Each structure stands twice: as C-alpha cells, then as structure tokens.
Amino acid sequence: MVKKRSKKKTGTTRKAAPRKTAKRKTAGRRKSKARRSAAKPSRFARLFRLALLVFGAALGLLVPWTIYLDHEVRSEFEGRKWDLPSRVYARPLEFFSGLALTPEMLRVELAAAGYKESASPNRPGQFSANGGRFEIYKRAFRFPEGEEPEQRLAVSISGGRVASISTRGGQSLALARLDPAEIASIYPLLREDRTLVRLEDVPPLLVTGLQAVEDRNFKHHHGVDPRGIARAMMANLKAGQAVQGGSTLTQQLVKNYFLNSERTLVRKVNEALMAVILEWRYDKSAILEAYINEVFLGQQGATAIHGFARASRFYFDQPLDRLEAGEIALLIGMVKGPSYYNPRRHPERARQRRDAVLAMMAETGILTEAQANEAASRSLGVVDAPSAFGQKYAAFIQLVRRQLAREFAEDDLKTEGLRIFTTLAPSEQTAAQDAVSQGLRSLAQAGLPASLEGAMVVADVSSGEVRAVVGGRNPGSGGFNRALDARRQVGSVIKPLVYLLALEHQGEYSLVTKIDDEPITLRQPNGQEWSPSNYDETSHGEVTLLEALINSYNQATVRLGLEVGVTQLLHRIEQLGVDADIMPVPSVFLGAAELTPMQVAQLYQPLAAEGYAVPLRAVIAVETPGGESLTRYPLRLMPQDRRDAIAVLNYALTRVVSDGTARALPGLIGGQEGVAGKTGTTNDRRDSWFVGYTRNRLAVAWVGEDDNSPAGVTGSNAAMRLWARLFSRIPVEPVETRMPDGAYWGWVDGETGALSDKQCNGAVQMPFVAGSEPAYQSSCLAAMTNTDKEDDDRSFWKKWFGKKN
C-alpha cells in the first residue's frame, strides 16, 4: 500500500510539471502581447494624433488666412467710399404777392416735391387745399444760400395770381419758398442708389427696431451669435419652414459688403471669421451705421435701392427722419426680402410683414401695445411712383448734363454725390409734355400723319432760365432729344431778324416803309436760278414792312434782305448767341438755315427780353453733399445796342398774332391778348414752327417727321396748336409795349403811312425808331399844323411823337 501511495505521489508529481510550464508560456505570451500593445498605438490614440495633425494643419492655414481676411476687412471697411449718384433738383417755387400761379399749377408743384394732401397737415411734407387757399407744411431744406427751417404756410390764390402769403399764425410774409422737387439722379456704373446718413441722424425707433427684429443680441455678441443660431433653428423646426435666420447684423453686413451670394461652406466660414474680425476692429456704432447705409431694400428698373435713407424716399417720398412708426416697421420688415415684401407689388403681404414687425416692437417694449395697434391700423403710406426716380424729365436732364459737362468730369457726376440745382419748373414741364403728346394725337385726329413728332422749349424771358424741355411725343422714354439735337430748316421764324436789321438802319426804314412784293429771280452760286414765291402763290405789289412781316410775304422779305445784306444777317444771328454753320446765300432770308428748337429759343430770347440777351441755362448751382459750393451760374446780361429797334419789332410781332399768320392763336388760348409770335413753314410743308412769347415766358414749338419727309404741316396748323395747348394752362402776361429811349409812338395815316394826328380819320398809332418817322404829312395833319417859322427850328418828331400812355 506504501508503494501504491508512493507511486501515486510520483505520478502526481510528474503531471504537475507541464502545468507549470503552461503557466510560464501563458505568462510569456501575456508579456509579449503587452509588449506588442505597448509598441502599437491604440485606435483612440491614432484618432487623437490625426485630430492633432488636422488641427495643426488647419491652424497653420487659418492663421495666415485670418490675417489675410483681417487685412481685407480693414482695407475695405476703412477705405470704403460709396459711389454716390448726384441729386438733381428743380427750381424752388417762390411765393410772392402777384405771382402768376393757378391752383392747378400749385398742385403739380406740390406733387412733384412729394407733398401729400391731408385734411389737416400736421407734419412736414403735407398740405391741404380748399379752392384757392392752401395750407402747406413745408419741409426744412439746405439751399445753396443756406438752411431754411420747416414752416407752416397759408397761400391764397385768386384770379391766377398769388393774393397773399402768411404763416399759420397769420403773420404776413413778403416771400416764401418751397423745398425743391428732386427730379433725377445721375447714377454710377453699378447702378446703386443710396443716400448716406449718419447714425445720429437716424430715427431711434429704426435703430432699436432693427435690432429687435434682426439681431436682439447685437449689443453683446462678438460677430456671431450661437444662441441666435440655436433660437432660429428651434423656430424653424417648430414652424416646419425657414421663418427666422441666425445671422447677426454684422454677418449680414459682411455678406453685403465683402462677399457674393453663393451658398457654400467656405463662404459661411469666411462670413463668420470676417464678422468676428469686424467686431474686433470696430465699434458697434460704426458697424450699425454701415449696415443702415448698405442694406439692399428694393429695385427701380436697373437701379438697386440701398440703405434706409434712400428707401425712405423711394417708398414714401419722405426723408428718413420724418417717417412714422408703421413706415419704419415696413422698411425693417423688408430687410428679410425686398422683392417678396415689395409693397407696390404685394401690398397685403407687405402689410402682414409690417404688422409682424410692429408686434415684435411691442413685445420688446420699443412701442406700447396701443402704439403698435394704432400704427397697424393705418395704410402702408407708399407712394405710387416717387418723383425722384425714373425718366419723367429725361429731355431736360440731357440739357443739364450737357451744361455740366463743360466743367465736371462724368465720373464726378456719377460718384461724388453732388447736389445740382436746376431751373426746371415741374408745373410748366408737365404742361409742356402734355401739350406735345396730347397735341400730336389731336393733330392725327384732324387728318395729319400719326407719325408726326414734336419738340418744345420753354424759358423765362428775363433770366434765360429754361423751365421745360420736351424732346418728343413720349417724354418719359428718353431717346433722341429733338429739342436739343433735331437740326431742321427754320423757315419763316428767321424773318423777324431781317426786319430787325432794317429797323436798325436809322432813318431808312420804319414799319410803314413801302417795299415791293413782286417776283424776283436770283442766280445761285451753282448757276441755278432761284425764284421764291409766296405761300399763297400771289404777289401783293407795294406793301409796308409791317404788312410783309405779319403776312410772311417771301418776295418782299427777300428784297428787303438783299438791301440789308446776308452777311449782316449771319452776324446778327451770332450776336444773339447762336453759333451755327449757315451758308451766306439769299435763301437764308426765308429760313434756309438748320437750327434746333433750343437755338431758335436763344435767337428770340433777346427780342422777348426787350434787348437784354442772356444765355439760356438749365443749371443754377452745384455743391458737394456737405453743402460746399463748387460753382454758380450767375445771370450774364448782355444788353443789345439797338433796344429801340427791338421794341418796334416786338410790336410788329404782336400784330402777327392779332392780324397775321397767327391770328387764330388768341381764340385757342381763351381770348388772351398781348402775345408776340411768328409762324414758320418750310418747303413742301416738311416743318412746322411757332415761336411765341409773353412778358415772362418764351416758348418754341416744332412739329415734323423724323425722316424730313413732307408732312402737310404749316406753322399755324401744327406747332402753333401745341404752343396754344401749353399757354392755355399757364398764366399769360401781355408783352410790354412801352418804348425805350430812342423809340416813340406816333400817329400815321393808315392808308398812306403819312404823319397824322389822333384826331384825324383813319389815323393809327405806330412805333418808330427816332429819326425814321415819315417825312411827309397827311392832308389832315397839314391843315392842323402851325407853319410858323418858329416851329421850323424844332425837330418834327419831337412835336408829333410822344410815349404811348
């Protein structure tokens, strides 16, 4: 049994040895695995190392990229210079007692300047009207002469004239003027329209309301607002659509200022980085001011409307600081989508957005609930078409630009934000445009070609200030400006200058001088013969100069022209301010000279102004946006040498209207008298002209075909009709018929032209240049004259001529 135990023990011992070896092998394997594990990185370590590598690479790229973006932000933001369009203003309407003005004209002036009619004007830019009495709350405005404050005016009009001007309190005023209408802008190449405004001049409600709606954490974030992003995500998820954005005002500014509109991750990263840089570099007020001036808020044709100040004019025709709560709310609401919430195209959608903004204002305490509800109850207040936009006065603006081009570079006009003060009168421009477009339609209905075109120029007589320019039947379309560029033969409108030259030949010619109206044949430089005929194909024998002029006799005019000389006529045209290339041939006496309507107006201005010539002008002053004067265009008066002869000619031109080729005119303008004028018709009835003037207005009208084909028109059946349409709408002040020094009224026999007396039968009163009176007496006067020698020493004209009462 001992052996068995011993054997068992021995056997047990032998079996134990392999177990120890296995343990040693296992331990070895574990140690080897541990060593391998220690030698090979874990997955987490690999990912961590990869992250470190990516982070390092990103940091290596981000730092220089951030430095680059910082440079871009600083150079662009600090050096930012918006291209500002020049603003063009009409002449300010000046009220004084006796001013020729109708209630209808005043309404046009107020509408052009953006005034709104209200039962009780309680804010600048409003007016009320009751017949001829107007209450006007005029706006403050910085004129070239200085700033004028807002003021309440009471203006009374009676009989086509201003009867009185006073303050609302009843204090009588000798003079008052409205702020001028903004009639146009001269845009930069990018076609961006904006009006810069300082943050301190922005209504506080706009500043706080903008933050309440677009970026409530604006004062506290550093360019990017994580809480705002999270809040927007929650709102969008809750609504099931994008109802709120997470971009801060700074990010929106960066997007508009520096970046394009593409939606990529890189652009979003750049936007965030640049927003942070912008906040780091600049204070909140600078960022907010830039945003207010930069944000896109609408489109007018090809022109983008940027900034709240310009949008205020575009939608409400009011300055920004005069907007009410509802109007401010609408503009703030449109930031989200100017096209989608366009109040002119989608008024109901815009109203809902405005009301939502008002609710947010009430929610944040900017407005009380009562104020918000009151603002929401009002209409949008958007004007149909702001006066300062579009091509309403395109022809006149072309004239303005041509005058400015003499002194200003085109780039300056488009980028420097200049303030340009012009001479345009909105009421007269509107009346002239209607006269041309409606007049041409009326001529077509009367049987003349429907393709006829027309043009008109209206100017102030004494100052030469151009009040209206119409370049064609469609004045709002721009294009070819016939008033400035259509050079057409002028026909008989040149004839008065021939008679003026004769009257200036002191002692030789008077209106009663006889001249032959008989056939005449002249040899032209090319060897051909020229035999002018009268319009009625009849020669009238011996006629007076007055008869020849008022009836526009061609043969008599050519004979008179040959006596005064064609070179003298061309020289006189140049003296009157017109530089034109005209051949010195006898046919010039009948209007074989190509001039534009503007040039014709310049020819007649010294005649209408009783011998005081001034260059026609459309610009009065130009200044910088800050009010610094750059240039003025003062009145340049050039007295003519022979004002006596001009005064006599003026009388003759009033007779053209009362008894001559324009005798139908008084009936077309309501029986008004005292108008001077001259009709003009060219060969084959291609062109119709009429030049007419009153004491204070000169207007030239032209009608014809653009291709210069025969049109069947005459001076009296076309152009005069357009002229009459204009002057039937504006007050007519009779031409002055007093004679200046060197000219006198006297009595002559109506049949013989001999000196007479007012007590003699058939005697008529006639003006004469001193020394040109007839040398013979009528039988009646001879019987009345004392033939004593004591009278022989006195000049005959001193005895018989005296000034007309």
Side-chain angles (χ1 to χ4, degrees), residues 264-293:
T264 63
L265 179 61
V266 173
R267 192 197 68 79
K268 292 297 291 184
V269 170
N270 285 339
E271 177 187 302
L273 285 173
M274 295 177 89
V276 173
I277 292 169
L278 199 61
E279 293 266 1
W280 175 48
R281 288 287 186 182
Y282 306 100
D283 60 34
K284 294 284 187 179
S285 61
I287 293 171
L288 194 56
E289 181 177 293
Y291 182 93
I292 287 171
N293 285 310

Side-chain angles (χ1 to χ4, degrees), residues 464-475:
E465 294 180 354
V466 178
R467 299 299 186 209
V469 178
V470 183
R473 65 162 57 237
N474 298 312

Side-chain angles (χ1 to χ4, degrees), residues 95-355:
F95 297 111
F96 55 88
S97 183
L99 171 69
L101 186 71
T102 66
E104 293 74 22
M105 292 175 68
L106 179 52
R107 281 184 173 276
V108 173
E109 295 282 345
L110 290 168
Y115 280 74
K116 297 179 182 178
E117 188 166 3
S118 171
S120 179
N122 55 18
R123 61 186 289 201
Q126 293 183 341
F127 76 98
S128 65
N130 183 11
R133 180 173 175 79
F134 288 75
E135 289 189 14
I136 305 170
Y137 199 154
K138 78 162 204 168
R139 308 184 191 95
F141 189 80
R142 191 180 72 243
F143 292 92
E145 300 82 11
E147 184 84 21
E148 288 190 10
E150 60 190 47
Q151 187 179 29
R152 297 188 179 213
L153 300 174
V155 180
S156 293
I157 300 175
S158 178
R161 295 187 180 277
V162 172
S164 65
I165 319 110
S166 63
T167 64
R168 191 183 186 190
Q171 180 183 355
S172 180
L173 298 173
L175 182 69
R177 60 178 170 177
L178 294 180
D179 50 300
E182 185 181 322
I183 58 174
S185 296
I186 301 176
Y187 295 109
L189 293 177
L190 291 178
R191 299 291 296 184
E192 291 183 354
D193 194 6
R194 60 169 52 80
T195 299
L196 297 185
V197 61
R198 298 176 301 177
L199 187 61
E200 55 264 34
D201 297 327
V202 176
L205 182 61
L206 173 59
V207 176
T208 54
L210 183 63
Q211 295 176 59
V213 174
E214 291 294 323
D215 189 358
R216 294 188 182 182
N217 201 32
F218 176 73
K219 293 181 180 179
H220 307 292
H221 65 63
H222 300 289
V224 179
D225 184 13
R227 285 185 298 175
I229 295 174
R231 185 170 56 248
M233 290 178 62
M234 292 298 295
N236 294 340
L237 288 172
K238 185 177 181 180
Q241 59 180 333
V243 296
Q244 194 175 119
S247 295
T248 65
L249 287 176
T250 312
Q251 287 177 277
Q252 293 179 40
L253 177 62
V254 166
K255 181 171 61 176
N256 293 330
Y257 223 68
F258 306 102
L259 304 174
N260 56 38
S261 58
E262 65 179 359
R263 296 186 177 184
T264 63
L265 179 61
V266 173
R267 192 197 68 79
K268 292 297 291 184
V269 170
N270 285 339
E271 177 187 302
L273 285 173
M274 295 177 89
V276 173
I277 292 169
L278 199 61
E279 293 266 1
W280 175 48
R281 288 287 186 182
Y282 306 100
D283 60 34
K284 294 284 187 179
S285 61
I287 293 171
L288 194 56
E289 181 177 293
Y291 182 93
I292 287 171
N293 285 310
E294 174 65 24
V295 63
F296 171 68
L297 286 169
Q299 194 82 19
Q300 172 69 16
T303 303
I305 308 302
H306 284 265
F308 283 94
R310 198 58 188 161
S312 176
R313 285 287 188 185
F314 180 64
Y315 292 109
F316 307 110
D317 224 349
Q318 292 287 342
L320 185 60
D321 60 357
R322 289 298 175 187
L323 295 189
E324 297 179 345
E327 295 163 338
I328 290 174
L330 176 59
L331 292 184
I332 292 173
M334 291 179 64
V335 170
K336 185 178 178 181
S339 297
Y340 187 78
Y341 295 111
N342 186 327
R344 293 194 179 101
R345 293 183 178 178
H346 312 292
E348 187 55 37
R349 189 183 295 167
R351 178 188 291 277
Q352 293 174 2
R353 178 60 179 164
R354 180 202 65 179
D355 294 349

Side-chain angles (χ1 to χ4, degrees), residues 410-490:
E410 183 72 9
D411 285 347
D412 291 338
L413 296 177
K414 292 181 176 180
T415 62
E416 296 300 322
L418 304 179
R419 303 174 79 226
I420 300 166
F421 295 91
T422 75
T423 62
L424 179 131
S427 56
E428 295 178 47
Q429 176 72 39
T430 300
Q433 290 178 175
D434 291 345
V436 172
S437 57
Q438 296 173 10
L440 290 175
R441 287 196 294 269
S442 179
L443 294 181
Q445 293 171 0
L448 291 175
S451 55
L452 285 176
E453 270 294 354
M456 186 175 286
V457 176
V458 184
D460 181 81
V461 166
S462 59
S463 67
E465 294 180 354
V466 178
R467 299 299 186 209
V469 178
V470 183
R473 65 162 57 237
N474 298 312
S477 63
F480 183 55
N481 191 336
R482 295 161 188 83
L484 305 184
D485 299 322
R487 295 183 176 275
R488 305 296 288 263
Q489 288 198 358
V490 295

